Amino acid sequence: MAHIIVVGNEKGGSGKSTTSMHVATALARMGHRVGGLDLDVRQRSFGRYLENRAAFMQRAGLSLPTPVIGQLGEGGDPLTPALTALESECDFILLDCPGSHTRLSQMAHTLADTLITPMNDSFIDFDLLARMSPEGKVLGPSIYAEMVWSARQMRGQAGAGPIDWLVLRNRLGTQAMHNKRKVGSALDSLSKRIGFRVAPGFSERVIFRELFPRGLTLLDLKDVGTEQLSMSNIAARQELRDLIAELNLPGVSAKF
């Protein structure tokens, strides 16, 4: 069966679609068969990203490694037929969840072999994982962490394997070092209580906003004629390489 990667967080603007696109495309570039499903039926940022990529390749006359985009089915369970259609031809299937609590998102989390939760490096995003006292003490899990716990219980009852949960600290900046340390300390404390791993994600960079209209990722730049990468682009590629290595996916080594 395909290994299912779910990118989820109940808050918008945390970098889910950027993370989804870069992870899925990196796996495709390394020779793995990758499928993708956008579960945000309204905004469809991940789906639009892949559509932009197909349009750009057609205009430029290029062929770039690209995930296969699946289509949700109809009726009360649109997810199962979509996964069934992809599983026969994919090693990995990535599900990009909306930034809100929906039935589709809840179903996706119960199917996750690997769960990636991008979050902005702030206590506003941290509040989705845990409640904190005014003094900064972690009081207990919050709404999103409770949903993941419920998904883990359902998987256990069904005899499925555990969820490998990675919380990704996106938009780490060089400023506000005191706040960064406090968020990091709180995440480390919480990770031991509710069972996730913490990893640095993508820094805030203009390049990510520029890539979306053409459906490109950091790994495509040389293929489209960008011979000289800036130091920022090189650093961003290293962040992606570190993320792929940290995911520890079966049969995957970050060779790019």
Side-chain angles (χ1 to χ4, degrees):
M1 295 179 65
H3 186 95
I4 296 181
I5 304 167
V6 173
V7 181
N9 183 343
E10 290 185 20
K11 184 180 180 300
S14 60
K16 289 189 298 296
S17 296
T18 297
T19 301
S20 295
M21 187 65 178
H22 278 77
V23 169
T25 304
L27 290 172
R29 276 192 165 274
M30 290 185 284
H32 301 284
R33 302 174 303 165
V34 185
L37 281 171
D38 191 338
L39 305 188
D40 189 342
V41 295
R42 285 179 60 82
Q43 190 167 342
R44 296 191 62 253
S45 296
F46 182 44
R48 289 286 299 151
Y49 210 140
L50 286 168
E51 289 168 3
N52 292 346
R53 186 177 183 84
F56 173 81
M57 288 192 295
Q58 184 174 16
R59 291 194 307 270
L62 293 173
S63 178
L64 301 173
T66 302
V68 176
I69 185 69
Q71 300 298 324
L72 293 172
E74 302 290 338
D77 178 11
L79 185 54
T80 299
L83 288 173
T84 301
L86 288 172
E87 273 191 327
S88 62
E89 55 182 294
C90 294
D91 305 311
F92 296 94
I93 301 175
L94 189 144
L95 311 181
D96 185 29
C97 294
S100 60
H101 181 80
T102 66
R103 184 169 177 270
L104 271 179
S105 179
Q106 193 170 10
M107 291 172 63
H109 280 70
T110 64
L111 299 172
D113 298 304
T114 297
L115 172 61
I116 307 172
T117 299
M119 59 170 280
N120 295 326
D121 205 52
S122 75
F123 282 110
I124 296 176
D125 281 25
F126 184 87
D127 189 64
L128 281 170
L129 296 176
R131 295 173 288 108
M132 294 193 68
S133 71
E135 296 77 26
K137 181 181 179 181
V138 176
L139 300 176
S142 194
I143 51 173
Y144 181 72
E146 288 175 349
M147 187 184 79
V148 176
W149 175 252
S150 176
R152 282 172 159 166
Q153 288 183 312
M154 292 180 68
R155 284 178 65 88
Q157 292 167 4
I163 299 175
D164 182 20
W165 185 12
L166 184 72
V167 172
L168 205 61
R169 298 177 68 185
N170 272 347
R171 294 176 178 161
L172 284 166
T174 56
Q175 305 300 317
M177 295 297 294
H178 178 64
N179 182 73
K180 185 190 298 185
R181 285 194 297 269
K182 289 181 68 176
V183 172
S185 176
L187 279 171
D188 288 341
S189 173
L190 185 64
S191 68
K192 298 177 178 64
R193 294 178 60 175
I194 62 177
F196 59 79
R197 299 185 289 122
V198 183
F202 298 116
S203 301
E204 183 66 48
R205 301 182 193 276
V206 175
I207 185 66
F208 291 120
R209 293 191 289 273
E210 296 175 342
L211 291 171
F212 175 80
R214 294 180 293 168
L216 299 177
T217 69
L218 296 165
L219 303 182
D220 301 315
L221 294 177
K222 288 189 176 181
D223 290 341
V224 300
T226 306
E227 295 295 336
Q228 188 67 37
L229 297 180
S230 69
M231 290 302 296
S232 177
N233 294 350
I234 293 171
R237 283 174 61 98
Q238 185 60 50
E239 289 173 351
L240 177 57
R241 189 179 294 112
D242 291 344
L243 169 57
I244 296 297
E246 188 68 33
L247 286 174
N248 196 28
L249 297 169
V252 173
S253 57
K255 294 180 179 178
F256 52 82

